[in-house]
């Protein structure tokens, strides 16, 4: 009597109103009637979590994280109870569960807890009794039994963890976009939806600012090889984007996506003495302050002095400048300056592993647009460039064209069915 099982996660806009909740209930009812078991994970109704955060901040600037968790977890409870009622109203047996009831155990790092394991006994029983389970995402309990939350956007991670624990065939993430795009469609009119993206690519994209999925959710899915599908809850029958293991038989486009991030700033130290220990001094003090540096370049030295630049998140610029002024004095650098009118443009593609000339093509197409490159960094499947912010749109569009993304990327063999590797079941252990 082994029925197929899917885990579906619905984001805040998908359950944002009673209408939307009823719409989602109808979707689930249809799938349920095909004989598939469904476990649903919900986010709080759109805007709800922000509202709760604001309430807390009306009382104090730095509320205790433990109390924040209890407060924030309530948003997801509301949507899970309402969706369960909507299912029941359609005659579908359904049961709502909080993080505690679903057995999701985490560490004790309040407001950004990590999942340790899921004790899925109760869920398995509820499934046996033919229920759709509607789980309040984003939350668990620690070993003391206190409520914890998984960090903003954490319901995605709840969904993947449950999919793994219950041995689901895949985890479907329903949101307000119909998949992962080659670029931000607001910036690049010719952006196309991707059919398939590898975990590695998705991880790069998520950390470069693609908002579709929480980074940790992708890490989790990768670790347990759980296929993820991103789809829109507004479109019926859309295929969305499948995120899965790279398939060596697959015809890889060289580049899958072009990302941009305008939220960067650059600090330059001029005429730094070129001696051992200087970089350690600079970046040690940045690290001590808990700030994180992204790219670093150092010029070749002239007469024992060199210039050194690095980038970091714009929000951290002021704090970093205060530190750098001090460091500059200590190491006798001549001058420190900041530039926040920059943007980071990145090209991501697993196909880069086996193709050469990617960097050259980037430089050529940017130079054709007369865009100057200020900094460059590369990794196995990514090249990032810092440019002046005013050129962002031109750069992203030029690269989108240069890498052949304006037309639908090379047809990729569907690997949806082939890709069902053995997965670890029931217990999820922390790394
Ligand atoms: N409601 C939480 C948030 O807004 C978690 C989530 O939506 O995944 O961050
Ligand atoms: Mg979300």
């Amino acid at each position: 009597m082994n029925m197929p099982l899917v885990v579906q996660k619905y984001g805040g806009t998908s359950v944002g109103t009673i209408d939307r909740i009823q719409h989602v209930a109808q979707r689930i009812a249809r799938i349920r009637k095909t004989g598939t078991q469904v476990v649903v994970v919900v986010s709080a109704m759109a805007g709800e979590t922000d509202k709760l955060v604001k309430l807390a901040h009306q009382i104090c600037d730095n509320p205790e994280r433990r109390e924040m968790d209890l407060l924030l977890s309530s948003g997801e409870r509301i949507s899970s109870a309402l969706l369960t009622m909507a299912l029941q109203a359609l005659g579908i047996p359904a049961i709502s569960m909080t993080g505690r009831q679903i057995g999701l155990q985490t560490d004790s790092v309040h407001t950004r807890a990590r999942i340790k394991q899921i004790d899925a006994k109760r869920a398995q029983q509820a499934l046996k009794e033919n229920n759709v389970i509607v789980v309040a995402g984003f939350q668990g309990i620690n070993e003391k039994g206190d409520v914890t939350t998984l960090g903003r956007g954490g319901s995605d991670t709840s969904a993947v963890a449950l999919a793994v624990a219950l041995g689901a065939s895949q985890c479907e993430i329903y949101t307000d976009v119909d998949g992962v795009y080659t670029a931000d469609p607001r910036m690049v009119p010719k952006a196309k939806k991707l059919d398939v993206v590898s975990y590695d690519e998705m991880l790069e994209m998520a950390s470069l600012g693609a908002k579709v999925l929480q980074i940790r959710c992708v890490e989790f899915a990768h670790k347990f090889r759980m296929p993820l599908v991103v789809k829109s809850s507004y479109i019926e029958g859309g295929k969305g984007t499948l995120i899965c293991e790279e398939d060596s038989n697959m015809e890889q486009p060289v580049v899958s996506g072009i990302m941009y991030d305008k939220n960067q700033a650059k600090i330059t130290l001029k005429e730094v003495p070129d001696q051992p220990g200087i970089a350690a001094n600079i970046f040690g003090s940045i690290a001590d302050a808990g700030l994180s540096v992204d790219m670093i370049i150092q010029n070749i030295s002239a007469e024992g002095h060199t210039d050194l630049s690095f980038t970091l998140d714009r929000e951290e610029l002021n704090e970093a400048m205060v530190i750098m002024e001090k460091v500059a004095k200590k190491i006798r650098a001549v001058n420190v300056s900041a530039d926040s009118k920059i943007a980071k443009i990145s090209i991501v593609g697993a196909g880069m592993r086996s193709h050469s000339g990617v960097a050259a093509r980037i430089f050529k197409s940017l130079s054709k647009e007369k865009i100057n490159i200020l900094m460059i960094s590369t990794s196995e499947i990514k090249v990032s460039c810092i440019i002046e912010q005013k050129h962002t749109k031109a750069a992203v569009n030029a690269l989108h064209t240069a890498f052949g993304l304006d037309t639908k990327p090379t047809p990729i063999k569907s690997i949806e069915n082939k890709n069902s590797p053995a997965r670890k079941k029931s217990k999820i252990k922390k790394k």
Side-chain angles (χ1 to χ4, degrees):
M1 217 228 18
N2 243 353
M3 278 202 265
L5 168 77
V6 300
V7 172
Q8 301 192 324
K9 182 257 172 178
Y10 290 91
T13 44
S14 303
V15 294
T17 61
I18 294 298
D19 252 21
R20 294 299 307 160
I21 288 177
Q22 285 169 330
H23 172 88
V24 167
Q26 280 156 7
R27 285 190 82 103
I28 296 166
R30 278 199 296 278
I31 299 161
R32 190 69 196 84
K33 283 181 183 145
T34 66
T36 301
Q37 289 195 303
V38 190
V39 172
V40 184
V41 175
V42 284
S43 281
M45 295 168 81
E48 199 55 40
T49 310
D50 289 336
K51 227 188 265 169
L52 294 169
V53 171
K54 274 197 199 121
L55 284 178
H57 288 154
Q58 282 173 33
I59 295 177
C60 70
D61 287 343
N62 265 324
E64 283 295 329
R65 289 172 181 266
R66 178 182 179 279
E67 316 318 318
M68 273 314 267
D69 274 349
L70 188 62
L71 177 71
L72 297 189
S73 70
S74 63
E76 271 66 14
R77 292 171 184 225
I78 294 170
S79 42
S80 68
L82 291 174
L83 178 56
T84 307
M85 291 174 198
L87 282 162
Q88 290 167 347
L90 295 174
I92 304 290
I95 181 171
S96 60
M97 289 196 196
T98 63
R100 176 197 306 275
Q101 290 165 330
I102 203 74
L104 196 150
Q105 295 159 11
T106 72
D107 63 17
S108 290
V109 185
H110 283 290
T111 73
R112 41 192 159 84
R114 281 183 170 266
I115 299 172
K116 281 181 158 166
Q117 64 173 59
I118 293 182
D119 175 1
K121 277 200 268 336
R122 178 137 188 228
Q124 265 140 2
Q125 187 57 35
L127 286 172
K128 240 190 233 151
E129 290 161 9
N130 234 352
N131 288 293
V132 171
I133 309 176
V134 185
V135 181
F138 174 57
Q139 58 188 278
I141 49 162
N142 65 12
E143 63 213 1
K144 283 196 253 170
D146 287 342
V147 174
T148 53
T149 64
L150 308 178
R152 296 305 302 268
S155 304
D156 293 347
T157 307
S158 307
V160 175
L162 271 169
V164 172
L166 295 168
S169 55
Q170 64 180 28
C171 181
E172 302 171 356
I173 309 277
Y174 286 88
T175 172
D176 48 2
V177 292
D178 61 340
V180 179
Y181 275 73
T182 50
D184 179 350
R186 287 165 303 180
M187 183 68 95
V188 181
K190 288 182 178 158
K192 298 277 177 308
K193 186 179 73 68
L194 290 156
D195 293 334
V196 186
V197 175
S198 71
Y199 293 121
D200 286 337
E201 290 173 319
M202 194 62 232
L203 265 179
E204 289 283 8
M205 291 183 189
S207 55
L208 290 167
K211 295 270 169 359
V212 248
L213 292 171
Q214 202 199 24
I215 296 175
R216 212 184 280 171
C217 144
V218 185
E219 282 170 356
F220 220 111
H222 190 186
K223 186 168 164 200
F224 293 96
R225 289 192 262 155
M226 173 58 65
L228 275 177
V229 182
V230 177
K231 281 186 186 180
S232 161
S233 63
Y234 293 80
I235 300 169
E236 293 302 324
K239 284 191 71 192
T241 300
L242 171 70
I243 298 145
C244 61
E245 204 83 58
E246 230 168 276
D247 180 340
S248 47
N249 296 323
M250 190 162 103
E251 180 61 53
Q252 283 282 359
V254 182
V255 167
S256 294
I258 318 274
M259 319 286 303
Y260 69 91
D261 179 0
K262 290 184 177 178
N263 214 3
Q264 298 267 313
K266 178 169 71 113
I267 295 182
T268 302
L269 288 114
K270 281 241 160 74
E271 293 187 46
V272 178
D274 197 7
Q275 290 158 5
I278 294 289
N281 223 312
I282 296 171
F283 296 108
S285 41
I286 289 280
D288 288 345
L291 307 178
S292 42
V293 165
D294 184 16
M295 291 192 208
I296 301 172
I297 50 166
Q298 184 184 333
N299 282 351
I300 28 171
S301 78
E303 293 161 23
H305 283 80
T306 180
D307 298 342
L308 197 147
S309 297
F310 61 91
T311 61
L312 74 184
D313 270 1
R314 174 111 43 82
E315 289 93 78
E316 300 185 336
L317 177 63
N318 291 344
E319 203 180 329
M321 277 303 277
V322 174
I323 298 168
M324 278 309 107
E325 306 276 2
K326 281 194 206 132
V327 172
K329 274 206 190 99
K330 189 163 139 207
I331 62 175
R332 297 171 194 285
V334 169
N335 168 280
V336 194
S337 61
D339 180 359
S340 56
K341 293 206 178 73
I342 58 165
K344 178 165 82 171
I345 311 292
S346 307
I347 311 270
V348 174
M352 279 183 209
R353 288 200 185 100
S354 50
H355 285 80
S356 53
V358 173
R361 206 185 310 173
I362 295 175
F363 304 152
K364 203 166 144 202
S365 64
L366 291 182
S367 85
K368 245 207 285 17
E369 298 291 315
K370 306 218 170 359
I371 298 171
N372 195 20
I373 300 171
L374 309 175
M375 289 167 114
I376 302 160
S377 83
T378 65
S379 77
E380 209 187 359
I381 64 163
K382 180 195 77 179
V383 179
S384 295
C385 301
I386 297 290
I387 60 169
E388 277 182 81
Q389 199 177 95
K390 63 179 184 208
H391 297 311
T392 307
K393 189 164 188 170
V396 176
N397 279 284
L399 293 170
H400 201 265
T401 306
F403 284 96
L405 299 175
D406 290 353
T407 48
K408 189 101 182 127
T410 347
I412 295 165
K413 279 185 251 167
S414 169
I415 53 173
E416 217 153 351
N417 303 321
K418 272 197 299 187
N419 196 64
S420 49
R423 247 171 265 121
K424 300 177 199 165
K425 280 193 186 168
S426 65
K427 276 246 166 133
I428 296 163
K429 284 260 154 57
K430 223 179 119 188
K431 269 190 219 174

